[in-house]
């Protein structure tokens, strides 16, 4: 019987909250979430900055290699002995490389 009384007391206390108290509790929860999100956002920016420093070198190297390869294969497009299907394949390859170089972060 004691347990039933305790449960009723808890419900009675919960019902005694005024709208102002409920608003303040919700506002506190909102502020906690807002601070948590701001902290998470700052951590993400820090991580991105740290990773970007490490990755930039490799990205630039990759783009330089794609540029050198594209520059090397372009003259083959004008060869008259190249069959049509290989010419189309070569054109697609050059086009993909040019798109990657043109839309990459290091244009």
């Amino acid at each position: 019987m004691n347990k039933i009384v305790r449960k009723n007391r808890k419900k009675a206390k919960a019902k005694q909250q005024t709208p102002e108290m409920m608003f303040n509790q919700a506002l506190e929860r909102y502020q906690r979430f807002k601070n948590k999100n701001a902290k998470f956002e700052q951590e993400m920016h820090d991580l991105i900055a740290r990773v970007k420093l490490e990755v930039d070198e490799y990205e630039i190297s990759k783009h330089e290699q794609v540029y050198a390869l594209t520059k090397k294969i372009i003259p083959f497009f004008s060869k008259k002995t190249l069959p049509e299907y290989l010419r189309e394949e070569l054109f697609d390859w050059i086009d993909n490389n040019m798109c990657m170089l043109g839309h990459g972060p290091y244009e």
Side-chain angles (χ1 to χ4, degrees):
M1 194 157 195
N2 250 349
K3 292 180 182 177
I4 295 173
V5 172
R6 288 182 186 163
K7 287 183 181 178
N8 290 337
R9 286 182 189 166
K10 287 182 182 178
K11 288 182 181 178
K13 287 182 181 178
K15 289 181 182 178
Q16 291 176 356
Q17 286 185 339
T18 64
E20 183 180 345
M21 293 169 63
M22 291 171 46
F23 175 78
N24 289 336
Q25 288 176 350
L27 187 61
E28 288 173 9
R29 276 196 321 265
Y30 168 74
Q31 289 297 333
R32 280 196 309 266
F33 285 129
K34 186 176 175 182
N35 292 338
K36 189 176 179 180
N37 285 342
K39 181 181 174 186
F40 177 73
E41 185 177 354
Q42 183 60 42
E43 288 174 357
M44 289 302 296
H45 284 297
D46 294 344
L47 177 66
I48 289 169
R50 192 180 74 212
V51 169
K52 188 168 173 43
L53 290 174
E54 296 175 14
V55 172
D56 277 353
E57 179 182 331
Y58 297 108
E59 288 287 325
I60 290 171
S61 173
K62 181 182 94 171
H63 279 75
E64 287 174 349
Q65 291 173 3
V66 169
Y67 173 75
L69 173 68
T70 306
K71 192 174 178 181
K72 190 173 186 176
I73 63 175
I74 285 176
F76 290 104
F77 192 72
S78 63
K79 302 286 183 184
K80 292 183 179 181
T81 58
L82 196 64
E84 186 64 30
Y85 72 96
L86 288 179
R87 186 180 309 276
E88 290 174 9
E89 197 66 36
L90 183 62
F91 178 78
D92 290 340
W93 192 12
I94 292 170
D95 186 48
N96 288 338
N97 287 351
M98 295 297 276
C99 285
M100 184 172 61
L101 291 171
H103 297 296
Y106 311 103
E107 299 174 4

